[in-house]
Amino acid sequence: MAQWTSAVGAAQLARLLNSQQDRPSGPGSRRPPAYRALADGVRLLVLEGRVPVAARLPAERELALALSVSRTTVAAAYEALRAEGFLESRRGAGSWTAVPAGNPVPARGLEPLPPEALGSMIDLGCAALPAPEPWLTRAVQGALEELPPYAHTHGDYPAGLPALRSMIADRYTARGIPTMPEQIMVTTGAMGAIDAICHLFGGRGERIAVESPSYANILQLMREAGARLVPVAMAKGLAGWDMDRWRQVLREAAPRVAYVVADFHNPTGALADEDQRRRLVDAARSAGTVLVADETMSELWLDPDVEMPRPVCAFDPAGSTVITVGSASKAFWAGLRIGWVRAAPDVIRSLVAARAYADLGTPVLEQLAVNWLFGTGGWEQAVEVRRVQARQNRDELVAAVRRELPDWEFEVPRGGLTLWVRTGGLSGSRLAEAGERVGVRVPSGPRFGVDGAFEGYVRLPFTVGGALADEAATRLAAAAHVVETGGTTGAETPRTFVA
């Protein structure tokens, strides 16, 4: 019986391998043999989750043709991977990827670092800050006071607590977007919201247009749902969307759904302006595409003179095109798993009906906590503290990276939680692996792209500041030195890899 559960074609694997840029040659650098470079490339793809564990690899002859190398090179690379525990083979069944005993199975998205590892590893993988106190404690205490009446019910509210739905609707209305509670569904975080939307509109085989780059976990969620991702390149730097490309993709590919982050885009930090928002809504409406606008970062402007554009849904007064997703996780705390969807009432009814086969509803106590924050002014106070903290972290991290890695290029975003960095020609995948060994965890650029794009990038979140930001930059510089000089990456297995 075969031990593999999926397969990777020769052409697909060749694209992923070719996206890994060669290390720059310079004084002290050494280029590994061709078979070693190939084995390293496959191993990196497995460690980053871009090639899943238990995936059948192409036959040696097929891969050799796709890569324009000799079959002997591929055979030697496969043998090296078998010796290191990253490949298993059996006559008649082929070869499939594996991880050595004792190694965690790599994730294909971005997962938080286990708390027990925080003492030795600086975590730049998760773009989330600690809870703002005392507002979290006060919100939970306020929720407990409001809990008794709900405790006498079954506790399942598929659309969300009526009080919170009304509160969220009122907040949209106050922003100039008239909204009824019937247009709101409370979800278990933004991920829960987008998962529900994808299952309703983006079934297996459906095209979904996504920004390129985009948020890694959302991309993986869509892949797992069986969607066909259609990448649309972002405009250069922090300029937002390239509207010519969006119009072309929407017209020619006719995707069922498009997913965008207009407010301090993850990972680039770009802020789409009002004209871009209006034009994208118009293009989506003409193409019959459902436009999902993720505004989880919308309240995280960091510079006081930022003028926020109107929400994307403001340009869809009929409510037939735009579905908006919001969340408490980024602006307040990731541990408070409350998100919401704003859409036309018929869409909300369909989403709510589908919850009978999913999670039935969102935890009551957490909904009451968010409702307390919204109703008492605690939310605004806590988010202001969050902005101050993120702004300071951003400025200190930027200074540290510029000092330690002057060849790395980036533009400083005016909001959000992430810095999108071009790594001076170095492979982001190799930097991520080397970082694990020197004590800094950083996600590589390809996690935020489709089919190996953005190998020359990493994402750095504003989660550390002060001395910790300095140390993180120092460790990143050490990782860059390993990659530049051709440090050992073959026989040595990282001590941990959680991505």
Side-chain angles (χ1 to χ4, degrees):
M1 180 178 177
Q3 302 298 307
W4 48 272
T5 56
S6 62
V8 180
Q12 179 188 6
L13 184 56
R15 284 196 303 272
L16 292 170
L17 290 166
N18 288 332
S19 73
Q20 297 174 334
Q21 298 175 359
D22 291 334
R23 291 187 290 265
S25 57
S29 66
R30 50 189 176 86
R31 182 179 293 277
Y35 85 90
R36 182 69 265 169
L38 175 55
D40 278 356
V42 173
R43 184 175 52 81
L44 282 170
L45 292 173
V46 173
L47 285 173
E48 286 214 316
R50 290 193 284 145
V51 169
V53 175
R56 187 179 185 274
L57 295 187
E60 294 171 2
R61 187 185 302 277
E62 293 175 359
L63 186 57
L65 287 172
L67 292 173
S68 299
V69 300
S70 70
R71 183 176 177 181
T72 302
T73 296
V74 178
Y78 278 16
E79 182 58 38
L81 290 166
R82 279 190 288 269
E84 295 159 12
F86 287 95
L87 195 69
E88 296 181 9
S89 305
R90 193 174 69 244
R91 186 178 298 277
S95 299
W96 56 91
T97 56
V99 292
N103 277 39
V105 176
R108 303 189 72 187
L110 303 176
E111 294 182 349
L113 189 68
E116 62 270 17
L118 292 175
S120 59
M121 185 76 66
I122 298 176
D123 185 11
L124 297 181
C126 187
L129 292 163
E133 289 287 23
W135 291 276
L136 175 62
T137 298
R138 290 176 181 172
V140 173
Q141 290 171 342
L144 287 171
E145 293 176 1
E146 299 293 330
L147 183 62
Y150 297 94
H152 294 293
T153 73
H154 50 60
D156 289 332
Y157 294 84
L161 296 184
L164 181 56
R165 296 177 73 194
S166 294
M167 187 70 74
I168 294 171
D170 289 345
R171 290 174 65 84
Y172 277 107
T173 300
R175 295 167 67 187
I177 318 295
T179 303
M180 304 178 295
E182 292 79 8
Q183 292 178 261
I184 301 295
M185 180 177 81
V186 181
T187 62
T188 307
M191 291 290 290
I194 294 169
D195 181 58
I197 294 166
C198 285
H199 279 88
L200 182 62
F201 291 102
R204 187 164 296 277
E206 291 281 4
R207 293 186 181 92
I208 299 182
V210 295
E211 296 151 326
S212 184
S214 187
Y215 179 37
N217 284 348
I218 295 297
L219 294 180
Q220 189 55 30
L221 181 155
M222 293 173 176
R223 292 187 187 103
E224 296 291 343
R228 297 162 60 190
L229 300 184
V230 182
V232 186
M234 296 285 289
K236 186 177 180 181
L238 298 178
W241 298 323
D242 185 325
M243 287 311 307
D244 289 337
R245 289 175 176 168
W246 269 107
R247 279 196 303 271
Q248 180 181 3
V249 167
L250 293 177
R251 182 177 62 250
E252 296 179 358
R256 183 72 180 91
V257 176
Y259 168 77
V260 297
V261 184
D263 303 300
F264 308 118
H265 174 260
N266 185 354
T268 68
L271 177 65
D273 62 33
E274 288 209 358
D275 183 60
Q276 290 171 326
R277 295 170 192 234
R278 179 185 295 104
R279 293 165 65 192
L280 183 57
V281 172
D282 289 344
R285 184 184 297 113
S286 297
T289 297
V290 175
L291 184 61
V292 179
D294 183 337
E295 59 175 28
T296 54
M297 297 280 191
S298 64
E299 296 190 63
L300 289 176
W301 63 86
L302 303 185
D303 296 330
D305 59 340
V306 173
E307 293 187 12
M308 290 299 297
R310 286 177 290 170
V312 175
C313 59
F315 303 97
D316 180 38
S320 59
T321 299
V322 177
I323 298 177
T324 303
V325 172
S327 172
S329 297
K330 294 298 184 184
F332 188 80
W333 184 47
L336 201 59
R337 304 302 304 161
I338 298 295
W340 52 87
V341 177
R342 181 198 180 275
D346 62 316
V347 173
I348 295 297
R349 286 193 294 270
S350 297
L351 290 170
V352 170
R355 292 193 88 167
Y357 311 102
D359 61 359
L360 291 177
T362 302
V364 170
L365 188 63
E366 294 185 22
Q367 292 187 70
L368 289 172
V370 173
N371 195 57
W372 183 93
L373 287 165
F374 285 158
T376 62
W379 177 269
E380 285 72 22
Q381 296 176 62
V383 171
E384 181 55 35
V385 169
R386 174 68 81 229
R387 292 190 194 107
V388 171
Q389 183 181 15
R391 183 187 311 124
Q392 181 175 340
N393 284 356
R394 178 197 64 181
D395 295 346
E396 291 171 347
L397 182 64
V398 163
V401 172
R402 283 177 170 164
R403 181 179 63 251
E404 298 293 335
L405 293 151
D407 292 337
W408 288 18
E409 302 172 22
F410 53 85
E411 291 189 41
V412 181
R414 308 195 68 192
L417 290 172
T418 57
L419 195 67
W420 186 237
V421 181
R422 187 191 294 269
T423 56
L426 301 180
S427 161
S429 299
R430 297 181 186 278
L431 281 166
E433 186 196 29
E436 290 281 335
R437 290 189 273 124
V438 299
V440 60
R441 178 173 173 264
V442 58
S444 66
R447 290 187 172 278
F448 304 88
V450 177
D451 277 346
F454 307 110
E455 184 62 56
Y457 289 81
V458 294
R459 188 195 73 172
L460 305 181
F462 310 145
T463 53
V464 296
L468 199 56
D470 291 338
E471 180 61 24
T474 298
R475 295 185 187 186
L476 285 172
H481 178 72
V482 170
V483 177
E484 285 175 335
T485 58
T488 302
T489 61
E492 186 175 344
T493 300
R495 54 184 173 180
T496 59
F497 195 95
V498 182

